[in-house]
């Protein structure tokens, strides 16, 4: 994983908007998908991004549902959504009128027709020990990605155990802790395969911080919540055992829907837990109105030696195009605190299905232009 030694490097979180085919049953689907991936790879490079991916096109654009059917030992059953974590929380209770409006207008995850918000999340019931049975699907992802982008400075995303857990019900393991560890052991196969293919592995973990918003979690208190997080991070580190840290990026966010986020856990309360993940880079939200102020956390927290911080410097949460000067200012704030070589400019979260393509790509251009300005200001 490259560091910002010659300039401030740029990347993004994963999901990108585009015109990728969506009818997987069409006879020419695979051919069109390959062409779309080639186009989104070229567009990332043209706009000036350094570390890129396939836009999550091979996953259908969704960071969770792509995993459906990849874990053996469980079965999907009809569910009434009563246990869906996305349908609960203090934010939804306190701002019920807004959430009702957002549901009726379909704007909670953005206003772009297509992927985001169209999924019916499956609920899986664990009836036996977890195994990994997604080899063929994963090999397809890797093959398409490598054919279009190669492997140098290319990442591929997967999901953390803690962010899959809410959609799995336990009918086999002795405890929830045993279930999450069993899931992690199965996921190790996917993580290792991505790295063995020469790609950078990115682990997405939105539900770990989002869990704090749940009323039952808040009842545990901060210490209880932090203990809950540690169990999940221990499981993730178990899955990452043996994988070089400099081949792993860990993306932590707060769900990133377009809502108030008034009950988000503050970064300062979990930053040490985040840094305990065996990863070489940490991607965090730092551009939206709820979390931009948290750059001051790094006044007191030391980034471990050899690690990279990837703050979001443009956000999907607004359609305003961040001025390159603002982007540069955001980058410099972090560089002044953790060292310029330890900072990479990123995005708050994925743009696919959340931002109009014209807006998303303009933001990514502003990110690249701002990184150039920051590089000059930082003396490269």
């Amino acid at each position: 994983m490259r560091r910002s030694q010659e300039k401030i490097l740029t990347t993004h979180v994963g999901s990108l908007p585009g015109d990728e085919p969506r009818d997987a049953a069409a006879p020419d689907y695979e051919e069109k998908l390959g062409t779309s991936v080639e186009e989104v790879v070229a567009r990332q490079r043209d706009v000036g991004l350094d570390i890129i991916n396939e836009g999550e096109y091979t996953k259908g654009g969704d960071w969770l549902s792509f995993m459906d059917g990849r874990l053996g030992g469980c079965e999907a059953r009809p569910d009434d959504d009563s246990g869906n974590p996305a349908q609960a929380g203090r934010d939804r209770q306190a701002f019920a009128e807004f959430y009702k409006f957002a549901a009726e207008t379909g704007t909670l995850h953005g206003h772009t027709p297509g992927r985001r918000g169209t999924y019916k999340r499956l609920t899986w019931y664990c009836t036996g020990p977890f195994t990994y049975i997604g080899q063929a699907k994963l090999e397809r992802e890797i093959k398409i990605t490598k054919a279009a982008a190669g492997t140098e400075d290319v990442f591929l995303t997967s999901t953390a155990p803690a962010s899959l857990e809410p959609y799995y019900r336990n009918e086999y393991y002795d405890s929830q802790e045993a279930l999450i560890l069993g899931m992690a052991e199965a996921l190790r196969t996917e993580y290792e395969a991505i790295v063995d293919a020469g790609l950078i592995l990115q682990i997405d973990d939105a539900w770990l911080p989002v869990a704090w918003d749940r009323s039952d979690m808040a009842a545990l208190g901060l210490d209880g919540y932090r203990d809950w997080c540690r169990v999940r991070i221990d499981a993730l580190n178990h899955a990452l055992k043996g994988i070089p840290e400099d081949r792993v990026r860990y993306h932590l966010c707060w769900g990133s829907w377009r809502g108030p986020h008034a009950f988000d856990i503050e970064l300062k309360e979990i930053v040490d837990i985040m840094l305990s993940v065996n990863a070489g880079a940490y991607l965090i939200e730092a551009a939206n109105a709820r979390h931009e102020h948290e750059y001051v956390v790094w006044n007191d927290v030391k980034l471990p030696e050899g690690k990279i911080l990837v703050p979001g410097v443009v956000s999907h949460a607004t359609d305003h195009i961040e001025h390159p000067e603002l982007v540069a200012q955001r980058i410099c704030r972090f560089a002044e605190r953790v060292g310029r070589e330890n900072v990479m400019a990123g995005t708050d979260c994925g743009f696919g299905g959340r931002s109009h393509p014209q807006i998303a790509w303009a933001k990514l251009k502003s990110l690249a232009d701002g990184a150039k300005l920051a590089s000059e200001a930082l003396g490269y």
Side-chain angles (χ1 to χ4, degrees):
M1 196 184 309
R2 278 204 290 158
R3 309 180 70 80
S4 295
Q5 294 176 322
E6 300 177 356
K7 66 173 184 174
I8 294 294
L9 296 173
T10 57
T11 188
H12 64 97
V13 163
S15 179
L16 295 172
D19 298 321
E20 78 277 20
R22 294 169 186 161
D23 182 6
D28 59 350
Y29 173 76
E30 291 296 322
E31 179 181 354
K32 287 185 176 180
L33 178 62
T35 299
S36 294
V37 171
E38 290 175 357
E39 291 173 351
V40 78
V41 164
R43 192 165 189 179
Q44 289 172 78
R45 288 175 170 154
D46 288 346
V47 85
L49 297 180
D50 296 299
I51 292 82
I52 64 170
N53 76 333
E54 38 55 277
E56 294 190 359
Y57 288 7
T58 63
K59 291 177 163 63
D62 186 70
W63 71 288
L64 281 172
S65 66
F66 81 93
M67 188 59 72
D68 288 346
R70 292 196 186 191
L71 295 180
C74 52
E75 58 187 45
R77 299 177 194 164
D79 191 84
D80 62 3
D81 275 345
S82 61
N84 189 334
Q87 305 301 324
R90 289 174 289 167
D91 211 53
R92 287 177 178 269
Q93 294 169 6
F95 299 95
E97 293 180 13
F98 162 79
Y99 278 99
K100 181 176 182 293
F101 165 81
E104 291 172 348
T105 57
T107 57
L108 189 59
H109 297 288
H111 49 70
T112 304
R115 299 174 301 182
R116 185 73 58 178
T118 63
Y119 299 105
K120 171 68 174 177
R121 297 283 182 220
L122 296 177
T123 300
W124 295 87
Y125 289 78
C126 182
T127 58
F130 279 116
T131 58
Y132 187 80
I133 57 174
Q135 287 86 349
K137 292 180 179 178
L138 179 60
E139 288 174 7
R140 169 183 167 275
E141 280 188 58
I142 292 171
K143 181 179 179 180
I144 294 173
T145 300
K146 291 175 69 173
T151 58
E152 186 176 358
D153 293 333
V154 179
F155 69 93
L156 193 64
T157 60
S158 189
T159 308
S163 286
L164 289 175
E165 180 187 7
Y167 304 98
Y168 287 76
R169 306 287 182 265
N170 185 14
E171 293 185 353
Y172 174 78
Y173 289 96
D174 293 337
S175 65
Q176 197 65 17
E177 289 75 12
L179 178 138
I180 196 73
L181 189 62
M183 180 183 288
E185 180 63 32
L187 287 171
R188 185 206 303 269
T189 301
E190 174 152 312
Y191 299 170
E192 289 179 338
I194 292 172
V195 174
D196 287 346
L199 301 168
I200 297 168
L201 166 65
Q202 178 176 302
I203 303 292
D204 291 324
D205 203 358
W207 283 120
L208 190 88
V210 166
W212 174 251
D213 179 51
R214 309 306 164 215
S215 299
D216 57 341
M217 188 63 65
L220 291 177
L222 181 59
D223 289 343
Y225 165 72
R226 283 171 53 83
D227 289 343
W228 181 90
C229 288
R230 288 190 188 96
V231 170
R232 274 76 194 162
I233 295 303
D234 286 347
L236 174 58
N237 283 337
H238 176 77
L240 292 171
K241 185 177 180 180
I243 298 177
E245 289 187 358
D246 67 355
R247 303 302 298 169
V248 181
R249 311 182 349 164
Y250 178 67
H251 167 226
L252 182 149
C253 75
W254 282 259
S256 293
W257 61 88
R258 290 192 177 190
H261 288 272
F263 295 89
D264 283 5
I265 189 75
E266 294 184 67
L267 178 62
K268 67 182 181 181
E269 305 293 358
I270 57 173
V271 64
D272 59 324
I273 294 174
M274 178 188 76
L275 293 175
S276 71
V277 175
N278 295 334
Y282 303 97
L283 293 81
I284 60 172
E285 293 187 46
N288 65 63
R290 193 66 193 180
H291 293 282
E292 182 177 2
H293 70 285
E294 293 184 311
Y295 70 88
V296 298
V297 166
W298 304 98
N299 289 342
D300 304 312
V301 176
K302 180 175 174 55
L303 186 68
E305 189 72 25
K307 305 288 187 170
I308 299 170
L309 189 63
V310 190
V313 292
V314 296
S315 180
H316 63 285
T318 174
D319 290 329
H320 284 72
I321 307 300
E322 292 86 349
H323 195 286
E325 290 281 2
L326 173 60
V327 172
Q329 290 172 11
R330 288 171 171 168
I331 294 169
C332 290
R333 289 174 188 166
F334 287 94
E336 290 163 359
R337 287 163 172 81
V338 304
R340 65 180 192 178
E341 71 281 2
N342 300 321
V343 174
M344 188 182 298
T347 63
D348 273 354
C349 201
F351 286 115
R354 288 194 176 111
S355 298
H356 189 281
Q358 191 173 30
I359 298 297
W361 288 103
K363 283 174 172 282
L364 291 171
K365 178 66 164 57
S366 190
L367 184 158
D369 290 346
K372 291 178 182 177
L373 294 176
S375 296
E376 295 171 3
L378 293 168
Y380 281 96

